[in-house]
Amino acid sequence: MNYWLRWYAHAGLWRAWLYMLLFDSMFLGSLLLIVEWLPVDVYVLMNGGFFIIGIGAVVFGLSLAFAEGGFWRKLLLEFAAFVLALISVTLLGSFVSWYELSRPMSAWADEFYIAFPDMLLFFSIHNVTFIGTRCLMWLWRWWNRLRKRSLLWTLTHDQLTIVFVLMVIFGVTVAGLSIYMRSNELANSDNSTTFLIENVVQYSLLGSIYGALMIVGLFIFLPVAMILSYMLIRRVMRRIEALAMATTALREGNYSSRIVVYGNDEIAQLQANFNAMAEQLDTTVNALKTERDRVAGLLDDRRALVASVSHELRTPVATMRGYLESSLQAEQALKPQIQRDLLVMERETLRLQQLIEDLFLLSASEVSRLTLNREAHDLAPLITRIVQTVQPLAWRQSRVDVLAECAAELDQALIDPQRFEQILRNLLHNALRYTPPGGLVVVQALNHANQIEIYVRDTGAGIDPAELDSIWQRFYRANDQANEQHQGAGLGLALVKELSEAMGGSVAVESQLGVGTSFCIRFPKA
């Protein structure tokens, strides 16, 4: 079916016009040969020509594509097509009329100048045929769009299609009965071929007239049929519309949406299934909300517990560290083995104290207990002081150089100086941990749009690209066997991210294995 409809509303103006000329030329030529060779009735050429030219106008109208663009562009194309149809119908009708009047056996041979204008007027009716075809096509296009937007008009279309098919069947049946009743005349005819041709032409003409009357009837009864169909289908449509509204409400989060079920038909079954589905979904969503609230409460309790415990641990650990430092000051009174043990205990106590501080800060941030004193602050002196503090220890312990490079006119940033120092110290500590002897760590501060960017770059081992998104997680430690002895608890970078975002900033990282890593923290300008 799609193969035969490929020409429908698919051709340009000149191509569609060529279709019309080819159709008319082929069938009019065949008709002229029949008229010349067979002793047919004198009306065969006029009636057959009228039918063929009319069908040609219909072919032109059906194959011409719809114009795209504005109203005037569409109107201009339709007018140009009408002019071509007018010229073609006039020329073809003039040719058929002239040929008929030029025949010696023509009934109008003696009245050429009187009959020719009447015949030409007779054929010019097909200009209206072309206009009607184009109007029907535009109407069909509008109707197609209408019925695709609403099921109501789709059902109406189906009902009207049934009426149209019944009218066609009625016309074909009447024509068949008429042919059957004239079968005796065919049997008694001297020339059956001539009889068949004459009757085919007559029935073709009558069929085209019946088709035109059928289309006119559709136009007349279409509003009535649409109103009746609307009234009959509206009750079903209301139930479907109610179902559509309920599904929309369910999609938007109203899980209490339900439908009143009417009847026992398929739509009622669909409504009942929707109610059951909505009930089950509502129950499931409520259970998930309850579980979510319970888990959220447990998490809040856990965060509060960690914050409280870490806070309480700070005092005894600080006291223990103080006693260890006091004991180590009396070096002469200590045996070498005891002194070594005390040094190990002091180092581990210091590590434990740092871990507790990090846990306290992270937990306080989660439970909104973290105090921030954001103010406009010059970063250059602060960065320089922190780097100068770290430089001697970094060189003495790791043989790594630490440098600071700040822009000449670095703007002030909106930060909490104490928290910023914690962030930078954590990043420096992380860089020194993974940078081999002879390496370099650089802290650079730059102005960028409405932000200050601080980079901490190192020439260390680098981070696997697969792990870059995971390094900000708490207690995450890179899978690095070579530096396993330097790995901490995995809280440093998590703390950097939490504190930076708490001050309205952001963090980012770039790394290349064997080359080094670059951390970037950004803070808004004051």
Side-chain angles (χ1 to χ4, degrees), residues 59 66 80 136 169 193 209 269 333 400:
V59 169
F66 294 105
L136 281 175
I169 293 174
T193 303
I209 295 173
Q269 184 178 359
V400 174

Side-chain angles (χ1 to χ4, degrees), residues 152 155-156 159 224-239:
L152 174 63
L155 297 175
T156 304
Q159 290 189 344
V224 178
M226 290 177 64
I227 293 173
L228 291 176
S229 298
Y230 182 87
M231 294 174 63
L232 292 172
I233 300 171
R234 183 59 184 164
R235 183 173 177 272
V236 177
M237 285 304 303
R238 285 175 180 168
R239 298 167 65 191

Side-chain angles (χ1 to χ4, degrees), residues 129 293 497:
T129 302
D293 295 340
K497 186 173 187 298

Side-chain angles (χ1 to χ4, degrees), residues 379-380 383 387 405-406 410-411 413 415 420 423-424 427-428 442-448 451-457 500 506-508 518-524:
L379 289 180
I383 293 174
V387 169
E405 297 179 359
C406 298
L410 190 65
D411 294 331
I415 60 167
F420 174 80
I423 292 172
L424 188 55
L427 290 177
L428 286 172
V442 178
V443 180
Q444 187 178 28
L446 303 170
N447 292 313
H448 181 76
Q451 292 180 321
I452 304 294
E453 292 184 343
I454 300 95
Y455 292 91
V456 179
R457 297 186 174 97
S500 298
S506 61
V507 294
S518 174
F519 286 92
C520 176
I521 50 178
R522 300 178 178 91
F523 295 104

Side-chain angles (χ1 to χ4, degrees), residues 1-239:
M1 188 65 177
N2 292 332
Y3 175 81
W4 295 105
L5 291 179
R6 269 193 287 180
W7 59 273
Y8 171 78
H10 192 67
L13 178 62
W14 298 107
R15 189 176 177 183
W17 183 57
L18 182 61
Y19 287 161
M20 172 188 176
L21 294 182
L22 289 175
F23 178 87
D24 288 341
S25 300
M26 183 173 59
F27 285 97
L28 282 177
S30 302
L31 182 62
L32 291 177
L33 291 177
I34 292 172
V35 170
E36 287 295 329
W37 290 352
L38 298 176
V40 294
D41 189 83
V42 294
Y43 295 100
V44 169
L45 179 59
M46 288 299 295
N47 292 339
F50 180 82
F51 175 74
I52 291 170
I53 293 175
I55 297 299
V58 172
V59 169
F60 184 24
L62 290 178
S63 59
L64 180 61
F66 294 105
E68 300 297 336
F71 171 78
W72 293 108
R73 177 181 173 84
K74 296 177 182 178
L75 185 62
L76 181 62
L77 178 68
E78 296 297 335
F79 179 74
F82 170 72
V83 171
L84 283 178
L86 176 64
I87 295 172
S88 303
V89 169
T90 302
L91 292 177
L92 291 171
S94 300
F95 172 75
V96 173
S97 301
W98 171 81
Y99 192 90
E100 175 62 28
L101 293 174
S102 300
R103 294 173 62 205
M105 59 182 298
S106 174
W108 304 280
D110 298 333
E111 302 175 354
F112 184 91
Y113 295 102
I114 299 175
F116 185 81
D118 294 336
M119 290 180 176
L120 195 58
L121 181 63
F122 174 67
F123 283 103
S124 66
I125 294 175
H126 288 311
N127 294 316
V128 180
T129 302
F130 173 78
I131 295 174
T133 302
R134 293 302 294 175
C135 290
L136 281 175
M137 288 185 66
W138 281 102
L139 180 64
W140 178 256
R141 191 184 194 190
W142 168 79
W143 178 255
N144 263 338
R145 291 177 178 175
L146 183 64
R147 70 189 181 91
K148 287 178 182 179
R149 286 199 298 262
S150 174
L151 181 61
L152 174 63
W153 299 119
T154 300
L155 297 175
T156 304
H157 170 83
D158 294 338
Q159 290 189 344
L160 294 177
T161 301
I162 294 173
V163 174
F164 182 78
V165 170
L166 291 176
M167 292 175 68
V168 172
I169 293 174
F170 173 77
V172 172
T173 303
V174 171
L177 290 175
S178 177
I179 293 173
Y180 175 76
M181 293 174 64
R182 300 191 65 183
S183 58
N184 292 331
E185 297 181 22
L186 176 63
N188 298 327
S189 174
D190 296 333
N191 192 331
S192 58
T193 303
T194 302
F195 181 83
L196 282 174
I197 291 174
E198 291 174 352
N199 280 274
V200 166
V201 171
Q202 290 178 8
Y203 281 113
S204 298
L205 184 61
L206 290 174
S208 61
I209 295 173
Y210 177 76
L213 291 175
M214 187 170 60
I215 293 174
V216 171
L218 278 178
F219 272 108
I220 294 174
F221 294 107
L222 182 63
V224 178
M226 290 177 64
I227 293 173
L228 291 176
S229 298
Y230 182 87
M231 294 174 63
L232 292 172
I233 300 171
R234 183 59 184 164
R235 183 173 177 272
V236 177
M237 285 304 303
R238 285 175 180 168
R239 298 167 65 191

